């Protein structure tokens, strides 16, 4: 079982069956524990597919994905799920209550831990306003919860699981700028020591990241800090201007 959560992509190429061109092309990078790696790039660039390769939703045709040096295809899906929490681009809630949804990754979490995760995820206020609080019913698919609330519950669910690796797929762009800022201010303490990977649309979400990967057409066309990329990466400069 992984102990640190260091993710390494070595020359990874992946294409969907039957498609002529790969959607990920020779991608190499390392995401270190205790650091935030951000991924930015236009729609269709391959950001979600890159995250899905870590969870083995698909396996690459070339290259390797490892966690703490172990190829992810040597781990069981249960070991992967224990190590990595994904907040998907379109979060899904199960029929049950707010509490059962938050405990999805760790059934033994206490109510205090759920409230703490909600506080970080900026979901505390709306859950407190519910008549039954944590025991408020949630319909399958979360149709009785707004999109932004679904997103925050999904973030809280990942925090409750306390994984080695957090994957946030575009989890902050639906939030207003002030909520996004509060959440990101609270996140470093809550995820301390973990490997954090954030796919983002807004540059303001990721300016503090330790490393930013710029993706275009399935390739990593730039990497560095915000300041470094501003100086020397045209694709990044274009994203900042738009
Ligand atoms: P946004 O979420 O819109 O910002 O884009 P993204 O960067 O996350 O792109 P994503 O990784 O979802 O997709 C990369 C490429 O793979 C795109 O050309 C998609 O059309 C294609 N793609 C994604 N999922 C599938 C799939 O299930 N089957 C096939 N054939 N192609 C897919
Ligand atoms: Mg995506």
């Amino acid at each position: 079982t992984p102990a640190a959560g260091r993710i390494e992509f070595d020359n990874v190429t992946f294409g969907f069956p039957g498609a002529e061109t790969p959607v990920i092309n020779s991608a190499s990078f390392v995401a270190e524990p205790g650091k935030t790696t951000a991924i930015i790039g236009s729609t269709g660039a391959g950001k979600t597919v890159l995250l899905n390769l870590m969870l083995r939703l698909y396996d690459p045709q070339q290259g390797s994905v490892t966690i703490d040096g172990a190829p992810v295809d040597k781990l069981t899906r249960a070991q992967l799920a224990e190590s990595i929490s994904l907040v998907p681009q379109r979060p899904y809630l199960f029929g049950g209550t707010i509490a059962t949804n938050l405990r999805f990754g760790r059934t033994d979490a206490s109510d205090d831990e759920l409230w703490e995760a909600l506080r970080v995820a900026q979901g505390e206020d709306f859950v407190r306003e519910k008549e039954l609080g944590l025991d408020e019913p949630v319909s399958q698919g979360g149709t009785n919860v707004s999109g932004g609330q679904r997103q925050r519950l999904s973030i809280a669910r990942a925090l409750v699981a306390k994984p080695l690796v957090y994957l946030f797929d575009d989890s902050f762009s639906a939030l207003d700028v002030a909520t996004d800022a509060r959440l990101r201010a609270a996140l470093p303490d809550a995820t301390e020591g973990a490997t954090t990977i954030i796919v983002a649309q807004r540059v303001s979400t990721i300016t503090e990241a330790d490393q930013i990967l710029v993706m275009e057409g399935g390739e990593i066309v730039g990497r560095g800090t915000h300041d470094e990329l501003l100086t020397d990466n045209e694709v990044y400069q274009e994203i900042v201007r738009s």
Side-chain angles (χ1 to χ4, degrees):
T1 312
R6 179 181 189 271
I7 301 269
E8 178 162 9
F9 273 57
D10 182 19
N11 215 16
V12 169
T13 295
F14 169 78
F16 286 99
E20 275 179 20
T21 50
V23 291
I24 301 293
N25 203 348
S26 306
S28 297
F29 70 92
V30 175
E32 297 280 2
K35 309 258 179 188
T36 297
T37 295
I39 305 173
I40 199 162
S42 54
T43 183
K47 304 180 297 295
T48 295
V49 171
L50 200 75
L51 298 189
N52 289 345
L53 283 165
M54 298 178 208
L55 290 166
R56 290 198 62 213
L57 266 64
Y58 356 93
D59 290 323
Q61 280 92 17
Q62 275 178 48
S64 66
V65 180
T66 55
I67 172 163
D68 297 337
V72 289
D73 58 6
K74 296 283 188 286
L75 299 172
T76 64
R77 279 180 204 259
Q79 283 173 323
L80 272 179
E82 234 171 72
S83 309
I84 305 179
S85 286
L86 167 72
V87 179
Q89 196 162 10
R90 284 172 211 79
Y92 189 83
L93 298 180
F94 305 94
T97 64
I98 288 179
T100 60
N101 269 279
L102 295 181
R103 286 199 178 96
F104 180 72
R106 231 189 80 231
T107 45
D108 65 343
S110 69
D111 281 7
D112 282 351
E113 288 177 278
L114 303 190
W115 282 116
E116 173 58 15
L118 285 167
R119 184 188 67 75
V120 174
Q122 308 301 311
E124 188 180 4
D125 290 354
F126 86 79
V127 177
R128 287 215 189 276
E129 280 164 19
K130 302 279 186 197
E131 201 181 329
L132 297 176
L134 290 172
D135 295 323
E136 187 76 13
V138 172
S139 61
Q140 182 161 1
T143 45
N144 62 335
V145 178
S146 80
Q149 292 173 347
R150 247 194 321 265
Q151 198 119 40
R152 286 178 243 188
L153 290 176
S154 185
I155 293 167
R157 173 195 285 160
L159 292 166
V160 168
K162 295 198 191 312
L164 296 170
V165 183
Y166 291 92
L167 307 179
F168 296 105
D169 192 353
D170 208 5
S171 307
F172 309 110
S173 46
L175 308 174
D176 62 78
V177 174
T179 308
D180 179 15
R182 276 200 305 276
L183 203 161
R184 280 180 303 100
L187 211 51
D189 274 348
T191 61
E192 203 186 351
T195 304
T196 302
I197 302 183
I198 296 181
V199 170
Q201 293 195 7
R202 271 199 292 256
V203 170
S204 65
T205 305
I206 58 162
T207 47
E208 305 292 315
D210 297 291
Q211 127 175 280
I212 300 168
L213 307 177
V214 184
M215 284 193 78
E216 191 181 55
E219 295 188 22
I220 298 173
V221 297
R223 74 187 70 210
T225 62
H226 173 71
D227 287 339
E228 288 164 355
L229 291 166
L230 264 190
T231 324
D232 67 14
N233 189 274
E234 282 180 24
V235 179
Y236 193 72
Q237 291 162 355
E238 184 58 39
I239 293 169
V240 172
R241 272 197 298 270
S242 63

